[in-house]
Amino acid sequence: MVRGKVELKRIENTTSRQVTFTKRRNGLLKKAYELSVLCDAEVAMIIFSQKGKLYDFSSSKSIRTAPSIHRLWLGYVSMRKTIERYREHVKKDENCIPETEVNTQKLKKESAIIQQKLEQLEASRRKYLGQDLVSCSLDEVIELDSKLEHALRTIRERKAHLFKEQTEKLKAKERYLMEENARLVQETAILCQKRDRISPQHYVKEKDVITRSQSSPFSEVETDLFVGLRPSHNYRD
């Protein structure tokens, strides 16, 4: 016969609950004993019933070999030894927490603080934009108005300062262009004076060269077109 699956929940019937406790307790103690013998493991088990009755097991070899009159006392000593060993092991593990875990916890705390600050800044930004003002009290609105006035005054001062700097730069550029213009005018005047100082004979020589080039025999080229024999002036009939 196949054993059915038992639903894991509290047994309401008191008698059935007590019977199940006894059977399972004995099976658990048996398994603990077998584990200690087969695997040479140190096993300690403590069970308290619903009525507060204590059931324990310790795997000390001295308990199994000792007379029955001393087993209770030896079991207590063995149990206490195992519990102390467990506490030392747990304490050692707590003291040997990896550094990465400590850093992780620290980063989590810092992240939570930063997240909180970001939420506060976002709420302040919305208030400065005129949003979410319904939840603000009169004092908060007055303080917000004062901060905005101060901010606007600072912005206007900065704007005036930038305008002043821009104006000064443009004036400096204007002065530079005027000086450059005056320098160019002066250089042009100097060049004109130098040209006026040149001797008139230079212009006469240039005129003679132009006249001779125009009176050269090669200046005129015959362009008449004739087809056939050219007539000779010495031809006789």
Side-chain angles (χ1 to χ4, degrees), residues 196-209:
D196 294 340
R197 291 173 186 172
I198 297 175
S199 175
Q201 296 177 359
H202 177 74
Y203 296 102
V204 173
K205 290 181 180 179
E206 288 183 352
K207 187 175 181 181
D208 293 340
V209 170

Side-chain angles (χ1 to χ4, degrees), residues 13 37 61 74 101 128 132 139 141 149 197 207 212:
N13 187 273
V37 174
K61 293 181 180 179
L74 291 174
E101 186 175 352
Y128 281 124
D132 298 340
D139 294 337
V141 173
E149 287 292 338
R197 291 173 186 172
K207 187 175 181 181
R212 287 196 300 271

Side-chain angles (χ1 to χ4, degrees), residues 143-169:
E143 183 180 2
L144 183 62
D145 181 70
S146 176
K147 290 181 179 179
L148 288 173
E149 287 292 338
H150 178 71
L152 286 174
R153 186 165 53 254
T154 304
I155 291 171
R156 290 185 181 121
E157 290 176 356
R158 177 60 180 170
K159 183 177 71 173
H161 179 71
L162 292 175
F163 280 161
K164 184 178 179 181
E165 287 185 349
Q166 191 70 17
T167 304
E168 291 178 354
K169 288 180 180 179

Side-chain angles (χ1 to χ4, degrees), residues 1 5 50 55 91 94 109 120 138 144 146 151-153 156 161 181 183 186 188 192 224 227-228 232-234 236:
M1 184 176 179
K5 186 177 181 181
Q50 186 180 9
Y55 301 91
K91 187 176 181 180
E94 291 178 352
K109 292 180 180 179
Q120 294 176 356
L138 179 60
L144 183 62
S146 176
L152 286 174
R153 186 165 53 254
R156 290 185 181 121
H161 179 71
N181 186 38
R183 185 181 64 81
Q186 185 177 4
T188 304
C192 292
D224 293 339
V227 177
S232 177
H233 295 284
N234 299 325
R236 295 180 182 180

